[in-house]
Amino acid sequence: DAEITQSPRHKITETGRQVTLACHQTWNHNNMFWYRQDLGHGLRLIHYSYGVQDTNKGEVSDGYSVSRSNTEDLPLTLESAASSQTSVYFCASSDRYEQYFGPGTRLTVT
Amino acid sequence: GENVEQHPSTLSVQEGDSAVIKCTYSDSASNYFPWYKQELGKGPQLIIDIRSNVGEKKDQRIAVTLNKTAKHFSLHITETQPEDSAVYFCAASFSGGYQKVTFGTGTKLQVIP
């Protein structure tokens, strides 16, 4: 069955370190998204991609970057982790309507 | 850009009662309104959606209504069961989920047995 996976599921890192969160989907969807989830804010869009070599900024993109070299993967990089980036991160991919979410990565920046 | 407001933030109901969650949106161009359910420790999952050309849609115990004039839409769950306990998110977008989707802040629903 097609699926979307994220790794790691949990990560603890120190302030200032570079961190990369992986997202891999086997739906063969062109569109992929990264969100962060924080209490009281719901799901906020960080970056998104409509296909290989295409990336776009979402509403909370500062301090994050993505790259899309193939259809299946959209890694999210925190260039220099900050305590404000402690959150749960969700990756999603989409066909015409539904977005399919991964299980999430809980990131703690100390 | 689009702004989606969702109320209430928490909701407790007795098993068998109905639950209603309400959302408003700001961008009149939005025409696709999905609802997602998130169980503890999991990613959100689509449970129902509605497009702007209809005013109501039902799927078993779940229904959504849309008032484009007032720019608000609602989720109705009837005959609630303990397994309905979760966080529910409304969302809005232009054209569909393959485009940017703006989510509400979520409603934590607790169904008391």
Side-chain angles (χ1 to χ4, degrees), chain A residues 37 50 94-97 99, chain B residues 36 38 89 95 97-99:
Chain A
Q37 184 174 26
Y50 289 152
S94 177
D95 60 5
R96 180 69 176 86
Y97 288 102
Q99 290 196 4
Chain B
Y36 284 80
Q38 185 180 26
F89 292 97
S95 293
Y98 72 98
Q99 296 276 11

Side-chain angles (χ1 to χ4, degrees), chain A residues 35-63:
Chain A
Y35 297 91
R36 60 177 289 174
Q37 184 174 26
D38 304 287
L39 195 63
H41 291 279
L43 292 156
R44 291 183 291 175
L45 184 63
I46 305 171
H47 281 286
Y48 58 103
S49 169
Y50 289 152
V52 176
Q53 302 303 328
D54 176 74
T55 61
N56 305 279
K57 294 181 178 180
E59 62 177 307
V60 290
S61 61
D62 287 349

Side-chain angles (χ1 to χ4, degrees), chain B residues 39-50:
Chain B
E39 297 178 343
L40 195 62
K42 297 184 178 180
Q45 185 172 14
L46 181 73
I47 55 171
I48 195 168
D49 58 11
I50 190 168

Side-chain angles (χ1 to χ4, degrees), chain A residues 13 17-22 33-38 41-48 55-67 74-90 105-109:
Chain A
T13 192
R17 291 191 178 267
Q18 183 181 79
V19 177
T20 297
L21 309 183
F33 308 83
W34 272 104
Y35 297 91
R36 60 177 289 174
Q37 184 174 26
D38 304 287
H41 291 279
L43 292 156
R44 291 183 291 175
L45 184 63
I46 305 171
H47 281 286
Y48 58 103
T55 61
N56 305 279
K57 294 181 178 180
E59 62 177 307
V60 290
S61 61
D62 287 349
Y64 304 94
S65 64
V66 293
S67 61
L74 186 69
L76 177 71
T77 297
L78 287 68
E79 303 294 344
S80 177
S83 57
S84 60
Q85 295 177 309
T86 292
S87 186
V88 180
Y89 291 85
F90 287 98
T105 294
R106 182 174 295 276
L107 176 67
T108 302
V109 182

